[in-house]
Amino acid sequence: MKTRIQRLEEKRAKFKKQMIQFIGILICIAGLFWLYNFFRLETVSLEGLTRYTEEEFRTRLEDNFLMTITPIFALSDRIEQKEIPFIEKYEILYVDEHTARVIVHEKRITGCVLIMGRYMYFDKDGIIVESSNVLTPGIPEVAGLKFNHVVLHEALPVENEAIFQEILNITNLLNKHGLSATKIQFDSLYDVSLHFGKVRVIMGENADMDQII
């Protein structure tokens, strides 16, 4: 049977152990708090961004508490790229303890087709790169193309594959002259009409498109 002195010594030893553990936890918390403040991300500069506002893109990148720590933020694109619509990839460069640069590489989109209430966006080769229920400003809807199915990340199966080069030429010419069409429409002979809001402009054949625009 334990004596009163032995019980007191055991209580003192237990209390001492608990205090050491408590102090150790406080030291760890203080260390983590210091590290967080020392490496806290304060400035993120964005380059190459046109499809999103800076606030929208920052929200998509910094939706995790750990992403506010600069080294983790700077390494995140090498660990796993977040899937962001219309973005091919992005690079995060570590500048200093509180600053990072994000270089955005957007997908080159020339137009979209409307199918069952969704806009299927395609690149210069006609490959479907995104699907959305929202029409993105600055990207024309293309009407009059004939196809019977659509698969994401595959080419739009149209009858005339040269049509994608024509669409690219039209969008490049519009950009060259500071114009933005809401719709590019082809008839059965592939003659072109451009829509600017409620205004429809019949362009005819593609031969003199630059001069016509």
Side-chain angles (χ1 to χ4, degrees):
M1 188 173 182
K2 294 180 181 179
T3 63
R4 183 171 179 273
I5 296 176
Q6 287 176 325
R7 290 196 296 271
L8 286 173
E9 287 179 349
E10 287 179 355
K11 287 182 178 180
R12 289 194 188 100
K14 184 178 180 181
F15 177 76
K16 184 178 180 180
K17 182 179 180 181
Q18 290 175 339
M19 285 300 298
I20 291 174
Q21 291 175 340
F22 179 70
I23 292 171
I25 292 171
L26 288 179
I27 291 173
C28 289
I29 292 173
L32 291 173
F33 184 76
W34 178 85
L35 285 173
Y36 172 73
N37 280 278
F38 185 78
F39 288 107
R40 185 177 56 191
L41 187 63
E42 296 177 352
T43 303
V44 178
S45 62
L46 299 172
E47 302 173 20
L49 189 64
T50 62
R51 300 293 181 199
Y52 295 93
T53 65
E54 291 192 1
E55 183 178 354
E56 288 172 338
F57 197 80
R58 281 197 177 94
T59 299
R60 289 177 178 272
L61 285 184
E62 300 170 17
D63 59 358
N64 188 309
F65 172 76
L66 290 176
M67 291 299 106
T68 61
I69 302 175
T70 311
I72 297 176
F73 180 83
L75 290 172
S76 63
D77 68 314
R78 299 173 190 176
I79 299 171
E80 182 180 4
Q81 286 264 323
K82 293 186 179 180
E83 290 289 336
I84 302 177
F86 305 112
I87 303 301
E88 183 71 34
K89 66 175 182 176
Y90 56 87
E91 302 171 68
I92 301 176
L93 305 179
Y94 177 61
V95 179
D96 58 37
E97 292 85 356
H98 306 289
T99 309
R101 289 174 57 210
V102 179
I103 302 174
V104 181
H105 301 272
E106 297 181 334
K107 293 177 179 177
R108 180 69 169 93
I109 296 173
T110 56
C112 66
V113 291
L114 180 60
I115 303 175
M116 298 180 65
R118 294 193 67 83
Y119 293 95
M120 311 298 288
Y121 293 87
F122 57 85
D123 64 10
K124 62 182 180 62
D125 299 314
I127 296 174
I128 303 296
V129 296
E130 293 293 344
S131 172
S132 174
N133 58 2
V134 177
L135 179 60
T136 301
I139 299 178
E141 177 188 345
V142 180
L145 301 183
K146 297 179 181 179
F147 49 87
N148 52 28
H149 69 276
V150 175
V151 180
L152 194 62
H153 305 307
E154 292 186 11
L156 198 63
V158 295
E159 296 176 347
N160 179 14
E161 294 183 0
I163 199 68
F164 297 119
Q165 183 60 49
E166 186 171 345
I167 294 170
L168 177 62
N169 291 339
I170 292 171
T171 55
N172 285 341
L173 287 172
L174 290 171
N175 291 335
K176 174 184 174 182
H177 295 285
L179 300 172
S180 179
T182 53
K183 181 184 288 187
I184 300 173
Q185 187 164 7
F186 294 93
D187 63 16
S188 59
L189 299 176
Y190 292 104
D191 288 341
V192 183
S193 296
L194 300 180
H195 294 248
F196 300 88
K198 296 181 179 180
V199 178
R200 179 188 177 199
V201 183
I202 300 174
M203 306 298 290
E205 296 182 359
N206 193 32
D208 299 319
M209 191 66 68
D210 192 9
Q211 183 177 351
I212 294 171
I213 290 178

